[in-house]
Amino acid sequence: MQAAGHPCPFRAPAVPGHDSWPYYKVERTQILKAFEAFLGGRPAPYVREEIDAICSSVHDWEGDYIVTVFTREHGFERKQAFKQKSVDALLEKLDEWSASNRSFEDDMELEFQNAARIYIERYTQKAARLYQGDFAAVVDSPISAGIVEGLQLVVRELKADPKCIGAFFRSAHFRNVPLQQLSARLYSAFKERLRTKADVLPAPREDRREKYSGLMFDVEHASTDAKS
């Protein structure tokens, strides 16, 4: 077990530069850190540390430096395909959310349950493909399929009961992960706006696509950049 305040060996490694970690690294780091706290019997509130979100060298400004917003794109076509599928899934849900009578608190709970379900489903889909000999799953599965893999590494390292992974996803430790907490709140607030007609759904589907195609990625960006 890692002492509090020290990076978990299974979290994303530090890299040179003064950048915030991308979403998937923040997601992995926060979930694994919360999992450590859960297994160690520590309190559920998440202990925030700057290193969770940004390289520790960010305060070092000796010598020459430049500021840039350029980022080299990797796997552009694959990312576009995932984005398209995500937007399609969102558009399918809009009418259901608008007609729902759930409360904000109900939606919060549903968001946490869905997040846990998606992590497990993506992992099991990747594992099933690998079992069948489809090794392309290593490169074209969603990055979040590795979240449960990371939890399993911790379980094996600590010789813990594998059932603790399911218990963690149902726990307050998981709900207090900053990225999960903020994402759930943003989606629940959006659903409330649809229910109260504060945000009116355009009728033509293509108008909806134009209005909401960036929603999931705005939530992802906001919950990453407000994480600490």
Side-chain angles (χ1 to χ4, degrees), residues 32-214:
L32 289 174
K33 182 175 173 180
F35 187 51
E36 286 183 309
F38 173 77
L39 292 179
R42 298 197 291 275
Y46 187 87
V47 179
R48 299 165 189 257
E49 297 175 276
E50 187 177 73
I51 191 62
D52 295 345
I54 198 165
C55 180
S56 59
S57 66
V58 68
H59 300 295
D60 300 333
W61 292 95
E62 299 296 331
D64 297 332
Y65 66 89
I66 62 172
V67 177
T68 178
V69 295
F70 172 77
T71 301
R72 184 178 292 107
E73 185 61 81
H74 296 286
F76 179 76
E77 291 183 358
R78 184 163 66 92
K79 290 179 182 178
Q80 283 295 95
F82 279 128
K83 179 175 181 179
Q84 184 65 46
K85 288 179 65 177
S86 298
V87 171
D88 289 343
L90 172 67
L91 295 177
E92 291 294 329
K93 288 289 186 180
L94 292 178
D95 286 318
E96 176 188 327
W97 292 349
S98 180
S100 168
N101 59 4
R102 289 190 299 267
S103 67
F104 180 88
E105 291 73 21
D106 290 338
D107 279 327
M108 284 283 289
E109 180 61 27
L110 186 62
E111 286 297 320
F112 292 128
Q113 292 176 8
N114 283 339
R117 175 182 55 79
I118 289 170
Y119 288 132
I120 293 170
E121 285 182 354
R122 288 180 173 175
Y123 165 74
T124 54
Q125 288 166 3
K126 179 180 178 180
R129 289 177 61 191
L130 291 172
Y131 181 78
Q132 294 167 2
D134 181 4
F135 297 109
V138 173
V139 294
D140 66 11
S141 294
I143 294 176
S144 59
I147 293 293
V148 174
E149 291 176 335
L151 300 182
Q152 288 182 321
L153 284 173
V154 175
V155 166
R156 286 198 291 269
E157 177 74 12
L158 299 177
K159 296 180 173 59
D161 184 345
K163 292 181 181 178
C164 67
I165 294 177
F168 166 68
F169 279 132
R170 296 188 296 271
S171 73
H173 287 77
F174 179 67
R175 287 161 171 72
N176 278 306
V177 169
L179 187 146
Q180 297 295 330
Q181 179 71 212
L182 184 52
S183 176
R185 287 183 178 279
L186 290 171
Y187 276 120
S188 298
F190 173 67
K191 292 176 186 179
E192 188 170 61
R193 286 181 60 82
L194 291 181
R195 283 196 303 273
T196 59
K197 312 306 178 188
D199 201 328
V200 180
L201 290 173
R205 185 178 178 83
E206 286 309 307
D207 287 354
R208 294 186 182 188
R209 180 175 295 277
E210 181 177 352
K211 182 173 183 178
Y212 297 116
S213 62

Side-chain angles (χ1 to χ4, degrees), residues 25-38:
K25 287 188 178 180
V26 175
E27 178 182 43
R28 179 180 173 86
T29 295
Q30 290 187 352
I31 289 177
L32 289 174
K33 182 175 173 180
F35 187 51
E36 286 183 309
F38 173 77

